[in-house]
Amino acid sequence: MPNHMKPVGSQTLGSSHLVLVVDDEASMRMALEMSYGQRGWQVEAAAGKTEALDRFRKRRHPLVVSDVRMPGGDGFELMRGLKGISPETCVILLTAFGAVADAVSAMKSGACEYLTKPVTFSQLLDLSEQLILRKPHRELDHHHSQLEIIGSSAALARALEQARQAAASDADILIEAESGTGKELLARMIHAQSPRGARPFVAVNCAAMPDSLLESELFGHARGAFTGAVAAQAGKFEAARGGTLLLDEIGEMPLSLQPKLLRVLQEREFCRLGETRAVRAEVRVIATTNRNLKTMVDQGSFRADLFYRINVIPLSLPPLRERREDIRELAEHFAGMFLPDGRLPDFPESLLAQLEQHSWPGNVRELANLVRRRIALPGVAHQFSGDEFMAHDFPRMPVGGATPTTASAIALSPGMSWQTAEKRLLEMTLAATAGNRSRAAEMLGISLRTVRNKIREYQLPSRRDYGYIHD
């Protein structure tokens, strides 16, 4: 058993689990703090709605236990505020005045449990542990584990308002934005706020899937449809039935498959590979791309009819350089996620000023990984020094994307073999983008699939060696 876990009955509970207890009675808060603390929980307490929300904004608690009847805002109001910040947080409501109507209202509003007092502490603690252990632990991945896009800039607010309006519709959506801006997170937010929010959200990365398998991945196949198809398998269109299908980086979809996708979007039906029976495509499609599809249409690398079919509602997200006023909030958010126990660091003003001056070619993802990489280095988890942070962690790439002057660049020489030059150019570009393959593809003017294939061909370092979480 890992040494950061401890036994709880027949299960294990991470020692880093946090709970926020909210009650206007000081004696009840103290009793709850002691009871949770004896079970290994880290406990914070608040006397009411306002204090609880203030604490929650500074430190996201996976579990909140709150009394219902409190002056200054009841437990239902608190729960709505919490869910607005973090939809995944579990909320347990406690009341001495239980009624069926209240219980139904609580569960519909998103409460994990609604308990009527008296409740034994043992019963409450067992329930809390079951809820947390049942809930999957996920780190940043786009995102993205939480359905929130951090920032309050005018540029971001406009984009989010357009997305909220689009969510009410059932039309297909195209999100065109740079890599690292949060396209998949925006797609998940649209799904969650749409009438399909309770149904599946299924994502397919068109760039990561080999051309020969992408069609089967999307539409499924019958047994024996091709070599290796030993059993029938449903595709992503069927898995997303009633919900939303995300076609991530649709610009990487091979031209040969684009007419088939177009037909599905037009007819709203498809056939599994090896079958003739039509299956209804009961999904909403959201496509994302970091490339300019209109330019690709003009160049003949993307079908015009498919572009106009998916571009029913066009959306975008501003790059980080166009919303620099959000950098402070984003940096604090990511530090709170990655620091032990969810603490918030004290960012020096000098550091924040430098962060706001950077060009951020990797956008929000670059900032998230920079913060995480710095926290992961020994001896700096508790203290941030602006000069030290910046000197070690900014990618060595000039503003404007000019070719960096490095030892690798100097090593290029006339007469060098094409393969060696290609390998070194790719190495230089990956180093300049801190391993961001999508950004490297943009700089080199080639597809993401080509970058991935060349990395495998030349056996270049994996993404985690550059300190990045993911592309």
Side-chain angles (χ1 to χ4, degrees):
M1 179 184 301
N3 58 16
H4 67 283
M5 304 292 284
K6 62 183 289 188
V8 178
S10 60
Q11 305 187 61
T12 56
L13 177 68
S15 60
S16 62
H17 281 309
L18 308 173
V19 60
L20 174 63
V21 297
V22 188
D23 200 299
D24 58 312
E25 294 184 11
S27 58
M28 178 58 71
R29 291 198 305 273
M30 185 178 298
L32 288 170
E33 284 186 87
M34 290 179 59
S35 298
Y36 276 103
Q38 288 173 354
R39 283 281 188 100
W41 288 73
Q42 297 184 40
V43 192
E44 289 192 6
K49 170 192 163 187
T50 302
E51 183 184 356
L53 288 174
D54 287 344
R55 289 186 177 275
F56 191 79
R57 289 188 185 99
K58 296 176 181 177
R59 191 179 190 185
R60 304 294 164 80
H61 306 74
L63 177 67
V64 177
V65 179
S66 174
D67 191 18
V68 170
R69 298 199 176 186
M70 298 180 293
D74 63 22
F76 289 97
E77 294 176 10
L78 171 60
M79 180 171 64
R80 286 191 288 271
L82 296 170
K83 291 291 185 178
I85 299 172
S86 174
E88 295 183 342
T89 292
C90 280
V91 179
I92 299 176
L93 294 179
L94 306 175
T95 181
F97 306 93
V100 173
D102 287 342
V104 172
S105 175
M107 301 310 287
K108 284 185 176 180
S109 299
C112 290
E113 289 291 344
Y114 181 85
L115 303 178
T116 302
K117 300 175 182 177
V119 178
T120 67
F121 289 124
S122 177
Q123 179 185 358
L124 177 60
L125 294 170
D126 288 344
L127 173 62
S128 300
E129 290 162 3
Q130 290 169 13
L131 289 172
I132 293 300
L133 290 167
R134 193 169 65 209
K135 181 180 174 185
H137 172 69
R138 294 177 291 175
E139 292 184 333
L140 178 71
D141 76 359
H142 7 161
H143 356 178
H144 298 245
S145 56
Q146 296 180 356
L147 299 181
E148 60 174 333
I149 298 180
I150 304 298
S152 53
S153 63
L156 181 62
R158 286 192 297 269
L160 295 183
E161 178 57 30
Q162 292 174 348
R164 278 189 282 270
Q165 294 176 11
S169 162
D170 205 36
D172 295 335
I173 294 173
L174 174 63
I175 303 173
E176 288 186 295
E178 294 181 13
S179 295
T181 52
K183 297 186 293 295
E184 182 174 342
L185 185 58
L186 183 66
R188 289 181 181 273
M189 188 195 82
I190 291 170
H191 169 74
Q193 295 182 3
S194 75
R196 297 176 177 268
R199 305 297 296 169
F201 179 94
V202 178
V204 179
N205 189 329
C206 299
M209 191 66 56
D211 295 359
S212 58
L213 296 180
L214 184 56
E215 183 176 2
S216 172
E217 183 76 6
L218 288 173
F219 308 126
H221 60 259
R223 181 171 178 259
F226 50 84
T227 303
V230 296
Q233 180 173 313
K236 300 302 186 184
F237 269 94
E238 289 180 80
R241 180 176 290 126
T244 301
L245 177 65
L246 172 65
L247 299 178
D248 193 23
E249 301 302 346
I250 195 172
E252 303 296 331
M253 179 174 286
L255 273 169
S256 59
L257 185 54
Q258 291 180 23
K260 299 178 182 179
L261 176 62
L262 174 64
R263 178 173 176 80
V264 173
L265 296 180
Q266 289 176 336
E267 305 298 330
R268 292 293 162 176
E269 64 179 28
F270 62 92
C271 295
R272 290 184 182 181
L273 290 178
E275 289 187 357
T276 58
R277 179 180 62 87
V279 180
R280 288 295 297 168
E282 299 287 349
V283 300
R284 179 197 211 171
V285 172
I286 300 178
T288 68
T289 179
N290 61 11
R291 306 177 70 181
N292 188 316
L293 291 190
K294 186 63 173 65
T295 300
M296 294 181 66
V297 168
D298 295 339
Q299 295 171 346
S301 56
F302 197 86
R303 289 182 63 102
D305 47 7
L306 179 57
F307 170 69
Y308 292 117
R309 182 61 189 79
I310 62 175
N311 196 31
V312 180
I313 301 180
L315 297 177
S316 185
L317 279 170
L320 189 55
R321 63 183 175 275
E322 294 180 6
R323 56 184 189 105
R324 297 179 186 273
E325 56 266 52
D326 291 334
I327 289 175
R328 176 192 295 265
E329 187 176 355
L330 284 163
E332 291 177 347
H333 171 75
F334 294 132
M337 292 183 67
F338 301 135
L339 276 170
D341 307 330
R343 294 186 308 277
L344 290 183
D346 181 17
F347 283 99
E349 290 298 324
S350 59
L351 167 60
L352 290 168
Q354 292 178 21
L355 290 176
E356 291 171 359
Q357 292 170 8
H358 185 51
S359 60
W360 298 110
N363 291 296
V364 177
R365 182 186 299 132
E366 180 185 1
L367 175 59
N369 285 282
L370 185 148
V371 172
R372 188 185 195 191
R373 183 165 61 247
R374 189 56 187 155
I375 289 171
L377 295 177
V380 297
H382 304 287
Q383 182 67 37
F384 285 80
S385 167
D387 293 339
E388 183 182 11
F389 196 110
M390 302 304 294
H392 288 83
D393 289 286
F394 270 139
R396 290 172 174 80
M397 180 167 60
V399 176
T403 302
T405 303
T406 64
S408 297
I410 297 171
L412 294 173
S413 59
M416 179 181 293
S417 72
W418 176 258
Q419 288 79 9
T420 300
E422 182 180 60
K423 177 182 178 182
R424 290 190 179 174
L425 179 60
L426 183 56
E427 286 176 327
M428 290 160 52
T429 308
L430 288 168
T433 61
N436 187 327
R437 300 179 180 188
S438 298
R439 177 62 178 157
E442 291 176 7
M443 292 177 64
L444 293 170
I446 58 179
S447 70
L448 178 58
R449 178 177 284 106
T450 299
V451 170
R452 294 179 189 276
N453 290 340
K454 291 298 181 181
I455 288 173
R456 286 194 294 269
E457 178 183 344
Y458 295 130
Q459 299 181 341
L460 298 182
S462 66
R463 288 167 294 186
R464 62 177 61 92
D465 292 331
Y466 296 93
Y468 262 68
I469 302 170
H470 57 78
D471 275 337

